[in-house]
Amino acid sequence: MAEWTREARYQRIEDVDTETFKNLKQRVDASPYRQTYHIQPETGLLNDPNGLIYYDGYYYISHQWFPLGAVHGLKYWFNYKSDDLVHFKAQGPILEPDTKYDSHGVYSGSAFEFNGHLYYIYTGNHRDNYWKRTSSQMIARVKEDGSVEKFPKPVIHGQPDGYTSHFRDPKVFKKDDQLYAIIGAQNNNEQGRLLLYQSDDVVNWTFLGEIQTNLNHFGYMWECPDYFELDGQGVILFCPQGIEADGNKYRNIYQSGYMIGHLNIENMTFDHQEFQELDRGFDFYAPQTFIDKDGKRILIGWMGLPESDYPTDSEGWAHCLTIPRELTLENGKLKQRPLKALETLRTNKETALGYANKFNRKLHPYEGKQYEMIIDILENDATEIYFELRSSRNESTLITYNQRENSLTLDRSESGLLPTNVDGTTRSTILDTPLNQLHIFVDTSSIEIFCNNGERVLTSRIFPSEASTGIKASTESGQVYLQFTKFELKG
Ligand code: FRU
């Protein structure tokens, strides 16, 4: 593959001729790994979900986008509209790098409503001739016809004293009728931090300071923060970079997690419980939340991570977003369940009830590449249960439940092609309660595993060959009594 020079990575769409773009689109469309019900880039690279909102009867979802190839280059926001959060209509690029302040990327940000108007707030990434970065927080108003008008100047230009230019990803939230923006930052000691701003009028933003937490030494940069309240409790989500792996925890290159606590804006403190990872799979980062039409808190993440090469890179595209998940707070923990409306994708229901043991490997007539499967574990005296998905003679994506340890392990060592620069080929987690249910979403090149009705999620890309469609269950010894329900999903 041709080398991506800096010059090539900072080209705008209109810098390449239509023939080149058409060829790229053809290569992407010919990929055997295209997803069927996930948001994925039309070409090029997708990363963080941006500007998620339910506004005036529709959902709007954008994503970070470099259109010209599967590399992190000049970022745009690409926008989708939806009336159900299940089917999405592409609206095209909504924010483009076309001002001095965002000349090197329209970076991540959020959406909010103020006085009947829809606004986007984002980080403008600018580099000077010496490649020195300036990060500005910018606002654009969405006009009646859906086009956007950027404010002529950043609302926050550069970072406050004591912090570096790693200052980005504003998320606006409302509290007591005030607008606040929580922003990811790095202090001059190269420690990740969260900064808070407040505004009464969208134009003027006052710096309130740093949110004090217990995590003073927890990575060198905190990206993509979010703050919301559930059942009267505060929740901060953020993505710390620079955390060492610790046993089964923090195994991905960067982390994404949450803390539950109480935000006191007067004292600028967040009294909180421990940091917990949101997802225990291989590919999850930079999630953002918003409120749906029924007032539920919904989360969508990037099903990918920076600094890895993915098997589709050579096809001119990379990554997708996760399915939307509903968040609830139960017994001091966040629970994540697949969005109920995804049920409208279901076709061809199949069910089976029976024992799996050491010999019972194949589940007739189950197979598939795009499906949802609910496995209820009704009785279990097996030492280990094995579920194999997308399996064939040579490939299988293996989920193992170990009863003694109460651990769940996803092993993609034989899943097919693998991303590179990833630590190991398994991800494991100890569950809070014995395994009683797996709720799994498989798309052409991904698997999202929800355990025990929202207790734990493992999200991963997999790149099996098209012929790998089998579904099997077996045990190491002993037997397990299972109820399977499977739906084909049509996106
Ligand atoms: C997270 C991130 C953000 C930034 C964006 C740039 O993946 O690094 O911090 O705004 O991606 O694409």
Side-chain angles (χ1 to χ4, degrees), residues 45 47-48 50 64-65 72-73 75 106-109 123 168-170 221-224 239 241 254 285-286 302 305-306:
L45 181 140
N47 57 308
D48 316 357
N50 291 150
Q64 283 285 282
W65 188 46
H72 288 269
K75 296 290 170 69
V106 175
Y107 275 10
S108 285
T123 301
R168 56 180 171 265
D169 311 334
M221 169 65 192
W222 292 2
E223 297 189 310
C224 301
C239 294
Q241 299 183 304
Y254 302 134
Y285 197 62
W302 168 25
L305 280 165

Side-chain angles (χ1 to χ4, degrees), residues 224-237:
C224 301
D226 195 348
Y227 174 81
F228 55 89
E229 287 171 10
L230 267 181
D231 294 340
Q233 300 250 54
V235 183
I236 288 182
L237 308 188

Side-chain angles (χ1 to χ4, degrees), residues 4 20-35 39-46 65-71 80 311-319 444-445 461:
W4 278 93
T20 309
F21 199 72
K22 219 173 90 195
N23 288 341
L24 172 64
K25 181 96 180 74
Q26 269 170 8
R27 271 169 61 217
V28 173
D29 290 346
S31 165
Y33 301 112
R34 293 297 278 172
Q35 300 276 61
I39 289 181
Q40 61 193 339
E42 294 196 340
T43 59
L45 181 140
L46 165 156
W65 188 46
F66 175 61
L68 301 176
V71 289
Y80 286 88
T312 59
D313 290 2
S314 58
E315 300 168 344
W317 72 285
H319 311 304
T444 321
S445 55
R461 297 302 301 281

Side-chain angles (χ1 to χ4, degrees), residues 28 30 47 58 75 88 129 141 147 164 167 248 272 276 300 342-343 347 349 364 445 448:
V28 173
N47 57 308
Y58 291 99
K75 296 290 170 69
F88 301 94
N129 291 341
R141 187 171 69 87
S147 64
T164 75
F167 172 53
N248 287 329
H272 61 91
Q276 307 205 41
I300 296 178
L342 289 166
E343 291 178 5
T347 64
K349 178 172 176 176
H364 291 288
S445 55
E448 289 157 280

Side-chain angles (χ1 to χ4, degrees), residues 53-59 82-86 229-231 290-298 324-328 338-342 344:
I53 195 162
Y54 178 69
Y55 175 78
D56 207 14
Y58 291 99
Y59 294 99
S82 168
D83 52 18
D84 59 2
L85 272 184
V86 179
E229 287 171 10
L230 267 181
D231 294 340
F290 63 106
I291 298 275
D292 78 357
K293 64 174 180 356
D294 304 318
K296 294 185 172 137
R297 179 63 56 178
I298 308 295
R325 309 172 179 179
E326 184 190 332
L327 301 183
T328 52
L339 184 83
K340 182 105 174 66
L342 289 166
T344 58

